[in-house]
Amino acid sequence: MLVLFRKTPILGALLAQVVALPVVAVVTAPLSTSVERLPLIMIALVLQGALAALICALLRLPRWWLLIAFLFPLAMGSALLLGNLPAWPFGIAFLVLALVFSNTTRGRVPLYLTNPETASVLNDLMRDRKAVRMLDLGCGLGGVVRALDGEGRRARGVENAPAVYLAARLLSLISGKGEIRRGDLWKTDVSQEDLVYAFLSPAPMTVLWQKLSREMKPGSLFVSNSFPVPDVDPDEIWELSDSRKTRLFLYPIGKPEEG
Ligand SMILES: C[S@@+](CC[C@H](N)C(=O)[O-])C[C@H]1O[C@@H](n2cnc3c(N)ncnc32)[C@H](O)[C@@H]1O
């Protein structure tokens, strides 16, 4: 069960709120005669958040879920207390979040972007290796793809979040650079690429490496931004001097260590 919650933390967070609700109701009920309505609601919301966060901790969810669990009831309560807010901004916000982040609950890879300094280093790397084809697995808005396409090189990206894919596709069409495909990185053919790039999260790295080391051609290169493959020594680690101190982990394909 714990494994399920670690794989799909949103289920654990939901369970935490559901379990906390009756407990908070029982604890706060006796206060209803002695405490004013507004302070009582605030006490209940804080208790609900704290208890839900505690349950998330017991379920061993990542730390940011504890914060989400704590803040969620307060945010909901505040919205309700503010009363006559129109419903449509919430609907639109929900739609936008769903279109951008709907894949995050399953894949646990949110959207954040490679900075131009890193893209420029990748460009030099491709040029030095005389690499012709590159693929960005989970290309986000396609910034890396557009930066690396051209000068006889072909850069492609695959992205599965609907709104993010559409934005990347549009930017690629406008700039005339790169090729963006909507799809699942796990089902993407990597066998023809000289360089595969990924900036994902720690969660998929082991399984991703199993796919890449099996499917990429000998002599090609896998570059992971920030997240190393557990238990596999990279050939090189490049520490960049950009503001976020990006680290690139380089894994050549076809070296003996890959077994
Ligand atoms: C951290 S962002 C990196 C974006 C881009 N590669 C960059 O470096 O600017 C990771 C992206 O991977 C996408 N993603 C996550 N799981 C995916 C999957 N299974 N297939 C395709 N894209 C995926 C996310 O939607 C997100 O846009």
Side-chain angles (χ1 to χ4, degrees):
M1 202 60 158
L2 277 185
V3 176
L4 172 72
F5 293 140
R6 250 175 272 154
K7 276 194 171 158
T8 319
I10 197 167
L11 288 181
L14 198 64
L15 177 76
Q17 297 291 350
V18 171
V19 171
L21 198 60
V23 179
V24 172
V26 169
V27 171
T28 52
L31 300 177
S32 59
T33 47
S34 51
V35 181
E36 295 274 323
R37 181 173 168 270
L38 192 58
L40 181 62
I41 291 175
M42 291 316 289
I43 290 170
L45 291 174
V46 171
L47 270 181
Q48 171 77 22
L51 193 55
L54 180 69
I55 296 169
C56 287
L58 293 175
L59 294 176
R60 307 235 178 100
L61 300 193
R63 263 173 295 168
W64 58 83
W65 280 97
L66 276 56
L67 187 66
I68 294 172
F70 180 69
L71 293 179
F72 180 73
L74 287 167
M76 291 283 286
S78 309
L80 289 175
L81 284 174
L82 285 174
N84 45 8
L85 288 178
W88 62 265
F90 295 97
I92 289 180
F94 177 78
L95 193 67
V96 170
L97 287 174
L99 289 173
V100 175
F101 292 113
S102 57
N103 60 348
T104 307
T105 51
R106 269 178 295 119
R108 289 192 291 155
V109 181
L111 175 67
Y112 31 77
L113 304 175
T114 296
N115 57 31
E117 293 89 337
T118 308
S120 159
V121 168
L122 290 169
N123 214 340
D124 294 344
L125 175 65
M126 281 197 73
R127 200 174 292 130
D128 291 349
R129 290 180 64 90
K130 301 195 181 4
V132 175
R133 291 177 59 121
M134 80 78 63
L135 174 66
D136 184 355
L137 291 175
C139 65
L141 297 176
V144 173
V145 174
R146 290 190 303 282
L148 270 54
D149 193 72
E151 298 177 30
R153 293 191 298 267
R154 178 180 173 204
R156 295 187 307 135
V158 60
E159 173 59 52
N160 72 348
V164 182
Y165 155 75
L166 274 181
R169 184 82 202 269
L170 196 66
L171 289 168
S172 170
L173 283 176
I174 292 169
S175 63
K177 288 185 149 236
E179 188 186 317
I180 308 292
R181 198 172 66 75
R182 168 119 202 256
D184 186 354
L185 66 88
W186 300 108
K187 296 183 184 148
T188 299
D189 178 11
V190 292
S191 63
Q192 302 303 313
E193 308 305 325
D194 301 311
L195 187 145
V196 168
Y197 173 71
F199 185 18
L200 298 173
S201 80
M205 294 314 293
T206 298
V207 186
L208 182 64
W209 176 245
Q210 285 164 5
K211 172 182 167 66
L212 298 183
S213 56
R214 199 173 48 236
E215 296 177 15
M216 284 176 72
K217 63 186 180 190
S220 58
L221 181 71
F222 169 50
V223 180
S224 175
N225 186 334
S226 304
F227 307 110
V229 179
D231 304 323
V232 178
D233 286 335
D235 203 45
E236 291 177 52
I237 302 174
W238 289 8
E239 304 199 345
L240 310 192
S241 51
D242 57 340
S243 55
R244 70 174 288 272
K245 300 275 170 265
T246 296
R247 294 206 302 162
L248 295 177
F249 298 86
L250 275 60
Y251 299 91
I253 305 295
K255 288 232 164 172
E257 309 89 71
E258 285 142 27

